[in-house]
């Protein structure tokens, strides 16, 4: 299984790349994390936000495979503690396919992406900057995996 994280935004600062890579490297091959950056929609002066979100949606949907289990990160999604995430990760592994985790742009995910999602997950009730979400998500996926395999990291 591969955990494919489709994230709107490109050219992340070095601290984000370093943070994400720390956890990506730790994951085993059978539960690898792959980040796919999606170019943001045009949000210049007087931009049409709905059009920008649709552009992001088009780009994101082009990376989603029919066999993917889709999890949308959405402020209105369900919150999971670490044990629940570990349980979900185990379930995704048992399904045998890849998982696409979707991180939207500054205005969230295109409605078509939300409609296609099998699950909606809220990382936090807090508003987090998108670069930080990448690190938190990678770390939590690693933590969930360590819980599954009995690794001491979670303690």
């Amino acid at each position: 299984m591969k955990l494919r994280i489709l994230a709107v935004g490109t050219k992340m600062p070095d601290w984000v790349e370093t943070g994400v890579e720390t956890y990506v490297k730790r994951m085993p091959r059978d539960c690898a994390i792959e980040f796919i950056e999606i170019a943001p929609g045009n949000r210049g002066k007087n931009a049409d936000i709905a059009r920008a979100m649709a552009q992001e949606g088009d780009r994101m949907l082009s990376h989603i495979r029919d066999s993917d289990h889709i999890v949308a990160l959405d402020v209105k999604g369900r919150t999971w503690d670490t044990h629940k995430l570990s349980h979900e990760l185990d379930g995704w592994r048992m399904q045998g396919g890849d998982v696409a985790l979707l991180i939207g742009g500054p205005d969230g995910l295109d409605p078509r992406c939300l409609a296609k999602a099998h699950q909606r997950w809220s990382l936090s009730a807090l508003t987090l900057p998108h670069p930080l979400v990448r690190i938190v998500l990678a770390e939590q996926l690693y933590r969930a995996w360590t819980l599954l395999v009995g690794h001491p990291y979670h303690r």
Side-chain angles (χ1 to χ4, degrees), residues 72-79 102 104 106-109 114 120-128 130:
L73 273 69
D74 180 29
V75 70
K76 295 177 184 172
R78 294 179 186 242
T79 57
L102 313 181
D107 301 294
L109 285 164
L114 290 171
R120 291 185 187 189
W121 174 25
S122 174
L123 278 183
S124 172
L126 299 171
T127 301
L128 300 173
H130 282 75

Side-chain angles (χ1 to χ4, degrees), residues 7-10 36-43 52 55-57 59-60:
V8 173
T10 57
I36 299 167
E37 292 188 333
I38 306 295
N42 182 14
R43 284 189 174 72
Q55 291 169 343
E56 294 162 0
R59 293 175 189 135
M60 193 167 278

Side-chain angles (χ1 to χ4, degrees), residues 20 23-24 33 35 133-142:
V20 165
Y23 298 104
V24 167
I33 296 174
F35 273 84
V133 168
R134 294 178 187 213
I135 297 171
V136 170
L137 180 57
E139 191 279 337
Q140 286 299 298
L141 291 169
Y142 174 70

Side-chain angles (χ1 to χ4, degrees), residues 65-84:
R65 303 176 194 131
D66 290 338
S67 60
D68 285 342
H69 180 82
I70 304 164
V71 180
L73 273 69
D74 180 29
V75 70
K76 295 177 184 172
R78 294 179 186 242
T79 57
W80 299 338
D81 65 16
T82 302
H83 290 279
K84 173 67 173 162

